[in-house]
Amino acid sequence: MISDYRAIITDFGSARSLDSASPEMQTGVDTPNTHSPRTSGAPKIDLKVSGDTITLSGSAWTLRWAAPELLDESPPSLASDIWAFGWICWEVLTGNFPFPETNNLAVVVKIIEGRLPKVHGDGRLDQVIALANLMIECWSLDPGGRPTATTCERQVHWMDRISPSSRPGAASNSTEILSARLLASIASMHVRHDRMDEAMDFLLRSMRVARSTNGEWAIAGAACGLGQMYRLRGDYSKAEELYVLGRDTHARTGSKSGQANAIKGLGDVYHLRGDTDNTERCYMHARELFNESGDQPGFASTLHGLGEVYRLEGRFTEAKESYCTARDIYTQIGERNGLADVMKALGDIHILHGEPSDAETFYINARAIYTQIGDQSGLASTWTGVGDVYGMRKEYNRAEESYAAARAIYTQIGDDLGLARSLHGLGEIFRARGEYAKGEEAHCTARDTYERIGDRRGFAYACRALGDVYHLNGEDAKCEESYVAARHAYAQVGDRPGLARTHHSLGDVYRSRREGSKAVGSYLAAQDVYIELDDQGGLAQLSYYLGHVYRLESKFTEAEKAYITARNISTQLGDQLNRANAINGLGILYAKWGDYAKSEQAYQISRETYAEIGDKHSLANNLWHTGWLRYSQRWYEDAEIRVSEASRLYEELEMKKDVVDCDKLLELIRSKKPKSWTIVLKEFFSGLLD
């Protein structure tokens, strides 16, 4: 132990020289010792010399720290040193030697068989999960599976620490200032392990000590820490006040890195408030300061933050570039927490692009890191992400399990924001399964939570989701009210994609109520934003529904133009369903115009696509309209065949009302259908006999 509270490990009692150029040296696998040649035969064990050592021919080894390959005649290596390093960590954390209650013969057996102490479940080790997991990696029975020394150094560097090291260049290191910084360091450790009440207690104590000594550097650190706590609690006004204090105090001390951290914190607050312009301004300013001070972790964190801003603004290419650059920096410096965060963010990008498989890969990789370092909040966020993946795949039971796992973790650690997000996911699953009462309950709870903590963007998400539930359940008044609230909130926070989708949803409501002018107004408002964002998928779907409204209002020219736009964009995107819908819409439109040839051609093209992709409902609707077309053309035989097939499909889908409609149409068709000569003759002779 040296004077500034840091422990130094010199060697394990068996230092030797290895060829630095050898590939084995670089990978950490067994390397022959040129200074201690390997001896043949079994290792000689002399248990009488010392209770803690085993003597091999040519070298003496500390038995309880010896890797299993050393007991199997292999020479020492970097990998065997890593095994021993794992035991040094064990000693530091537990205060015990390896296998303290086991005799030496039993120790040899346990090492060879891999019967090592359990790490997880030990109350002491659960406080430092990252170090405990590193110990497990060091104890791999396969030498090649152990981490390298560089990996160990990087992982330990980024672990929680409470060393009260002095501020560089400080004129004085009084006990009081060191104590304030120590308290803030302990608080930071509690935050990383989601123990928020303990963290707040230590930070308040740190601020009291710092103020009593007028230590500006310590005051700034405590202010930023408290700002983080109030931000996590949803008290954004208090958080902003403290971050401003931290920023101004750091500026007086000349600490660019500290000033950048405070400005980054302010950006986080503005981000949660939905103030996009101030968020981006703070992140860019912080990025410049981090760059000037050579603070790579801080620089990467601002790139991550900017990626979030770009994602929410629909600037997905810029968002992905920011995330990837941050990922590369975190990988280079070995900062696993930041790496996991951007991996999760990249998963979110792939979800927005409709790429669930790629998203799942990123979420699983992030989850593995969060598990290793013991980040419960991050772990829960990946469960929410995986729930989104399963939801996109319509694997609703697995999605519900994932969201429920996230909800349980968020509830345990008291993370209201994360809890609201997991409830939102559950609400979407209930909606998709038609469990509208459960969906309404989940979304209402999420909405109220977002409103309580002041998260306007989350509030908008929840209101829009509630509107979807009410729309499907036929509660039009509640539906419109929720969508209008969402539209207002999205406009407040500058969320353009959310605003476009809400305009679109309101248009759907007005269309279903046959309020054509309102529907067109909402659709055109959404169209403007989709064009601004270059959201071709949204534009294609909207154009189809816009064509539907124009058709119902007998605005045939406008309807044709909208349907053709939807068809062309969907063709470019490879969206077969929306393309078929647009072409089918053209078929209905041409039938109303009396252009039966074009109508028949459009119906045939869309019908083939519906059959190919297995969309029975759309296929049944197409056959129904084709039957009407044939009836209008007085082709009653073909009309009967088409409508009968539609009725069969509706029956398979248990759509009873549509089956009844088909029966009525079939009755009408058969009443118009001319009788065959056989039936006419039978009826004639039957009349003569009577």
Side-chain angles (χ1 to χ4, degrees), residues 86-310:
W87 284 111
I88 295 296
C89 295
W90 168 268
E91 288 184 80
V92 170
L93 292 174
T94 66
N96 293 325
F97 289 111
F99 310 104
E101 298 178 356
T102 306
N103 63 50
N104 290 323
L105 286 173
V107 167
V108 173
V109 174
K110 285 188 174 184
I111 292 174
I112 291 174
E113 294 181 353
R115 289 189 284 127
L116 306 177
K118 291 183 178 180
V119 171
H120 295 302
D122 185 306
R124 297 162 298 179
L125 302 185
D126 285 345
Q127 305 300 310
V128 281
I129 295 175
L131 186 56
N133 284 323
L134 178 59
M135 285 162 46
I136 293 174
E137 294 178 27
C138 291
W139 291 340
S140 170
L141 296 179
D142 175 15
R146 295 171 201 156
T148 64
T150 300
T151 299
C152 289
E153 189 276 331
R154 282 186 174 180
Q155 290 192 23
V156 171
H157 175 78
W158 293 109
M159 288 177 190
D160 297 318
R161 63 192 66 219
I162 58 173
S163 169
S165 56
S166 61
R167 174 172 60 88
S172 170
N173 287 329
S174 71
T175 303
E176 292 81 2
I177 294 178
L178 289 176
S179 296
R181 298 193 59 235
L182 177 59
L183 290 167
S185 296
I186 296 172
S188 177
M189 184 175 68
H190 283 302
V191 169
R192 288 174 70 97
H193 290 274
D194 302 299
R195 298 187 289 266
M196 301 306 174
D197 290 340
E198 294 91 331
M200 179 64 88
D201 178 61
F202 276 102
L203 283 167
L204 290 171
R205 289 165 57 188
S206 174
M207 180 60 84
R208 284 196 299 269
V209 172
R211 287 190 184 280
S212 70
T213 59
N214 292 319
E216 286 202 319
W217 200 91
I219 289 173
C224 289
L226 285 167
Q228 180 187 18
M229 290 305 305
Y230 284 111
R231 173 174 60 81
L232 293 172
R233 288 185 171 186
D235 190 343
Y236 301 139
S237 296
K238 188 68 174 175
E240 181 181 12
E241 176 187 333
L242 286 159
Y243 278 129
V244 168
L245 172 63
R247 178 197 64 191
D248 296 344
T249 308
H250 274 306
R252 286 196 299 272
T253 65
S255 172
K256 285 188 176 181
S257 182
Q259 191 179 355
N261 274 313
I263 294 171
K264 168 64 168 54
L266 273 172
D268 294 339
V269 171
Y270 295 138
H271 172 62
L272 289 169
R273 280 178 171 168
D275 186 345
T276 306
D277 291 339
N278 275 324
T279 302
E280 186 171 3
R281 178 180 57 79
C282 284
Y283 286 158
M284 291 184 127
H285 187 191
R287 183 179 63 180
E288 291 174 8
L289 291 172
F290 280 131
N291 189 43
E292 290 174 10
S293 61
D295 187 333
Q296 284 190 294
F299 185 77
S301 73
T302 57
L303 288 172
H304 182 187
L306 284 167
E308 291 291 287
V309 173
Y310 300 146

Side-chain angles (χ1 to χ4, degrees), residues 50-108:
S50 170
D52 292 325
T53 61
I54 177 171
T55 303
L56 306 181
S57 55
S59 298
W61 297 97
T62 308
L63 170 60
R64 294 170 186 269
W65 288 261
E69 63 269 17
L70 295 180
L71 303 178
D72 191 31
E73 206 180 346
S74 295
S77 67
L78 295 179
S80 60
D81 282 352
I82 295 299
W83 172 282
F85 171 71
W87 284 111
I88 295 296
C89 295
W90 168 268
E91 288 184 80
V92 170
L93 292 174
T94 66
N96 293 325
F97 289 111
F99 310 104
E101 298 178 356
T102 306
N103 63 50
N104 290 323
L105 286 173
V107 167
V108 173

Side-chain angles (χ1 to χ4, degrees), residues 567-596:
R567 180 197 65 189
N568 293 345
I569 296 175
S570 298
T571 301
Q572 290 176 351
L573 296 175
D575 185 343
Q576 286 185 288
L577 177 58
N578 203 60
R579 176 179 179 273
N581 287 339
I583 295 172
N584 196 67
L586 283 168
I588 298 171
L589 181 66
Y590 293 142
K592 285 186 174 292
W593 265 352
D595 192 338
Y596 295 146

Side-chain angles (χ1 to χ4, degrees), residues 406-418:
R407 180 183 59 185
I409 296 173
Y410 284 131
T411 301
Q412 181 182 4
I413 65 178
D415 186 335
D416 287 340
L417 178 59

Side-chain angles (χ1 to χ4, degrees), residues 1-9 92 163:
M1 185 75 70
I2 60 177
S3 60
D4 63 349
Y5 302 91
R6 290 185 295 121
I8 299 295
I9 300 173
V92 170
S163 169

Side-chain angles (χ1 to χ4, degrees), residues 565-628:
T565 299
R567 180 197 65 189
N568 293 345
I569 296 175
S570 298
T571 301
Q572 290 176 351
L573 296 175
D575 185 343
Q576 286 185 288
L577 177 58
N578 203 60
R579 176 179 179 273
N581 287 339
I583 295 172
N584 196 67
L586 283 168
I588 298 171
L589 181 66
Y590 293 142
K592 285 186 174 292
W593 265 352
D595 192 338
Y596 295 146
K598 279 188 175 182
S599 177
E600 182 180 350
Q601 183 183 21
Y603 282 149
Q604 182 177 349
I605 293 171
S606 56
R607 184 166 59 249
E608 289 172 355
T609 302
Y610 290 139
E612 181 183 344
I613 64 178
D615 188 336
K616 289 185 177 181
H617 186 200
S618 297
L619 180 59
N621 290 340
N622 174 281
L623 289 164
W624 162 268
H625 287 295
T626 305
W628 266 111

Side-chain angles (χ1 to χ4, degrees), residues 444-459:
C444 280
T445 305
R447 178 198 62 192
D448 295 344
T449 303
Y450 284 130
E451 187 170 28
R452 176 169 52 80
I453 64 178
D455 187 337
R456 294 297 292 167
R457 182 175 281 108
F459 177 78

Side-chain angles (χ1 to χ4, degrees), residues 287-394:
R287 183 179 63 180
E288 291 174 8
L289 291 172
F290 280 131
N291 189 43
E292 290 174 10
S293 61
D295 187 333
Q296 284 190 294
F299 185 77
S301 73
T302 57
L303 288 172
H304 182 187
L306 284 167
E308 291 291 287
V309 173
Y310 300 146
R311 177 176 65 84
L312 292 171
E313 290 184 337
R315 298 154 63 183
F316 298 132
T317 301
E318 293 172 84
K320 191 172 182 180
E321 287 176 358
S322 289
Y323 290 146
C324 288
T325 305
R327 178 195 60 189
D328 295 343
I329 293 172
Y330 284 133
T331 301
Q332 180 184 359
I333 64 179
E335 212 285 70
R336 295 192 296 166
N337 200 308
L339 177 61
D341 289 342
V342 292
M343 297 283 271
K344 163 67 170 56
L346 283 165
D348 295 340
I349 285 288
H350 285 289
I351 284 289
L352 291 171
H353 281 175
E355 301 163 344
S357 296
D358 291 333
E360 185 177 20
T361 300
F362 280 109
Y363 288 143
I364 289 173
N365 289 337
R367 185 170 64 191
I369 298 172
Y370 285 134
T371 300
Q372 283 186 326
I373 63 180
D375 186 333
Q376 291 298 297
S377 181
L379 179 62
S381 73
T382 59
W383 278 115
T384 301
V386 170
D388 294 341
V389 169
Y390 292 140
M392 290 186 71
R393 292 175 177 166
K394 299 184 179 180

